[in-house]
Amino acid sequence: MRELNEKLEILRDSISKRKIRIMIMGLGSVGSYLLDYLMSCKDEGLEIYVVGRNQEKMISDVNIIRVAAMIRGQNRTEIKVISGVDFNDVSSIEECIRNCAPDFIVNSSRAYSGLKYGSISWKNVRAYGIWAPLAIKYIKNIMEAYENAESTAIVINTSYSDAVIPWLKSAKKAYPDFGSGNINHLIPRIKFAVAEKYNISDYWNIDVTYAVSHFHDVVISKEGQTENVSQLIHIQYNGKRLEPDMNEIFSMCKISMPVDAKRNMMNASSNFEIIQGILRAVREKEKVKLHCPGVFGEIGGYPVFIDGTGDTVRAYIDEESFDINEMRAKNRESIYLDGIEDVKDGTLYFTDELVEKTKKVFGVSLMKEVTFPTIEKAAQFLITEIIEKNREN
């Protein structure tokens, strides 16, 4: 697997020669929203490949997005539907990647569709990390196929990347370059709250630098509090640092949100932001800051720069406000509360607290550790013993 910076250079070289190819794997709600957002760019320099098994459903979903974009006068991007691709079959995925030769791959597939896993886990065990074996189930196959196809695409993963990407890296497997969502969902809430506190009208110019894992995205968004864990955050406006009472700011981040698939507008927007940020850096020679979980195979979420201002395009974790060791420690403190004790040597370790809660609430014995070869078994256990016995119909 090539390094991210090498892939960014390959992308920069490709832009001058042909259209950029974006592959969306899985056209559920995240994929559909993302496709719609990409169409809104009116970018004739893009080709979009929509990949999945069900041709009839994908064509139907693509048609409504294409027609809606045409009504808005925004349809400038060609969409190609690639059906018959089974995310359980590495060879099927590999053939698709070889044939399409994408520049970006966005994994928006889900091993168990039609359910927000947190609707089961948060109210019962207050931890999302329990679902990590499900989150890695398809992306591990996609990355194996990616490696076999010798692809140089920039890969974005959408599901629990805080642990999934480092899990793949620790197993010495190919791993996605970026994770979308999670930490990214907190940044706008913080900007809105700070703008209200300081009466700032151009809230989009508030600069936030933040390092934290998925757990705090959820607990701050849902409850407006941090479980008494100090946060690694730096806020400034017009070059001046702002130091508000962060307990007050986080309390203001608890804003009403839907709990159905409409929430996936945020995750799709995170994918969109990463793609557009990279394209801006490469095309316009800009320096763009993102917040991403799992970037560079690190546990948790980090601020990251895509810098196209020099002779080469570079991606790196932003250490202007905090050094990498501070951010790693804070992320581990945060993700522990999400039920993840560690990820190393290809094995994910659940916390003792999560194992105990799972036994108490669901009456089943959660494995303490999940080795890479047992991922499929662990994922099926979660489906059979927890999801199917506890989901609301």
Side-chain angles (χ1 to χ4, degrees):
M1 175 177 165
R2 302 193 190 213
E3 296 293 329
L4 173 56
N5 288 339
E6 184 180 357
K7 289 189 270 188
L8 288 168
E9 282 297 299
I10 292 170
L11 177 67
R12 186 172 70 164
D13 184 57
S14 299
I15 277 177
S16 63
K17 299 176 181 177
R18 56 169 174 77
K19 293 183 178 181
I20 295 303
R21 305 171 189 135
I22 300 173
M23 176 176 285
I24 302 174
M25 291 194 160
L27 199 64
S29 57
V30 172
S32 294
Y33 283 129
L34 174 59
L35 180 59
D36 191 33
Y37 300 156
L38 290 170
M39 294 296 287
S40 72
C41 294
K42 297 194 293 187
D43 192 337
E44 297 179 37
L46 301 182
E47 292 178 352
I48 303 175
Y49 296 80
V50 177
V51 177
R53 294 189 67 173
N54 190 328
Q55 182 180 43
E56 183 178 355
K57 179 184 182 301
M58 286 194 298
I59 289 175
S60 177
D61 289 345
V62 165
N63 282 343
I64 194 168
I65 291 169
R66 291 178 68 244
V67 170
M70 184 68 86
I71 291 170
R72 301 192 303 267
Q74 296 174 331
N75 194 328
R76 301 286 189 277
T77 302
E78 183 179 2
I79 306 173
K80 299 180 180 180
V81 175
I82 312 295
S83 62
V85 178
D86 182 356
F87 297 136
N88 287 303
D89 182 356
V90 172
S91 62
S92 174
I93 306 167
E94 179 185 343
E95 181 181 7
C96 175
I97 294 174
R98 283 188 184 278
N99 291 341
C100 299
D103 300 290
F104 290 89
I105 296 174
V106 180
N107 170 42
S108 62
S109 62
R110 287 174 65 84
Y112 194 96
S113 60
L115 173 72
K116 295 294 291 182
Y117 303 149
S119 65
I120 294 176
S121 63
W122 187 255
K123 65 185 177 182
N124 289 302
V125 296
R126 287 179 67 80
Y128 194 91
I130 189 173
W131 308 118
L134 275 176
I136 200 174
K137 179 176 166 63
Y138 284 161
I139 188 61
K140 71 178 179 62
N141 294 342
I142 291 169
M143 293 312 300
E144 182 178 347
Y146 171 96
E147 189 83 331
N148 292 346
E150 300 180 318
S151 177
T152 60
I154 295 165
V155 184
I156 306 169
N157 183 56
T158 63
S159 185
Y160 207 62
S161 296
D162 300 74
V164 162
I165 298 179
W167 196 354
L168 284 162
K169 184 178 182 179
S170 78
K172 295 181 170 47
K173 306 293 185 181
Y175 56 91
D177 301 288
F178 296 93
S180 69
N182 302 350
I183 185 176
N184 174 274
H185 298 169
L186 270 180
I187 304 301
R189 294 172 183 259
I190 293 167
K191 290 185 178 184
F192 289 143
V194 170
E196 183 177 342
K197 175 73 175 176
Y198 288 91
N199 196 27
I200 296 172
S201 58
D202 57 335
Y203 46 83
W204 49 90
N205 287 322
I206 297 170
D207 182 69
V208 176
T209 303
Y210 196 18
V212 78
S213 87
H214 179 273
F215 176 83
H216 278 95
D217 163 43
V218 177
V219 77
I220 292 171
S221 299
K222 284 183 176 292
E223 301 175 8
Q225 56 92 18
T226 66
E227 297 285 286
N228 296 315
V229 175
S230 63
Q231 299 296 290
L232 213 56
I233 187 166
H234 182 279
I235 303 170
Q236 65 180 37
Y237 175 68
N238 286 342
K240 179 182 178 182
R241 183 169 185 180
L242 304 179
E243 299 184 83
D245 178 342
M246 287 310 302
N247 287 330
E248 181 182 0
I249 295 299
F250 288 134
S251 71
M252 296 167 69
C253 290
K254 181 186 176 183
I255 58 178
S256 179
M257 287 277 185
V259 296
D260 59 11
K262 290 190 290 293
R263 286 186 61 86
N264 286 329
M265 292 176 67
M266 295 188 297
N267 204 329
S269 295
S270 300
N271 285 286
F272 178 83
E273 181 190 39
I274 294 168
I275 293 169
Q276 288 300 304
I278 292 171
L279 291 179
R280 279 170 49 207
V282 172
R283 286 172 166 171
E284 310 300 329
K285 296 188 175 181
E286 295 184 16
K287 183 178 180 181
V288 179
K289 183 163 74 175
L290 306 168
H291 282 84
C292 300
V295 66
F296 296 107
E298 295 282 351
I299 293 172
Y302 297 81
V304 58
F305 280 123
I306 313 296
D307 189 352
T309 59
D311 293 334
T312 60
V313 185
R314 297 188 305 127
Y316 54 93
I317 291 175
D318 173 13
E319 295 188 70
E320 292 179 2
S321 300
F322 313 107
D323 70 41
I324 188 64
N325 291 325
E326 285 182 284
M327 291 187 277
R328 285 170 173 160
K330 184 56 62 177
N331 269 294
R332 283 182 173 273
E333 183 181 8
S334 176
I335 206 169
Y336 188 94
L337 296 174
D338 221 20
I340 304 295
E341 180 179 300
D342 204 356
V343 181
K344 61 182 180 181
D345 301 327
T347 299
L348 180 137
Y349 298 85
F350 291 122
T351 63
D352 291 338
E353 291 90 336
L354 179 59
V355 173
E356 291 169 8
K357 288 178 184 177
T358 303
K359 181 67 174 180
K360 181 178 179 181
V361 174
F362 299 120
V364 296
S365 297
L366 182 69
M367 62 293 294
K368 169 66 179 177
E369 57 190 62
V370 183
T371 61
F372 205 83
T374 63
I375 285 171
E376 296 286 346
K377 180 180 178 181
Q380 190 57 51
F381 172 87
L382 293 171
I383 292 171
T384 304
E385 298 300 322
I386 298 181
I387 289 179
E388 292 182 346
K389 292 181 179 179
N390 293 277
R391 72 170 298 174
E392 296 176 2
N393 296 319

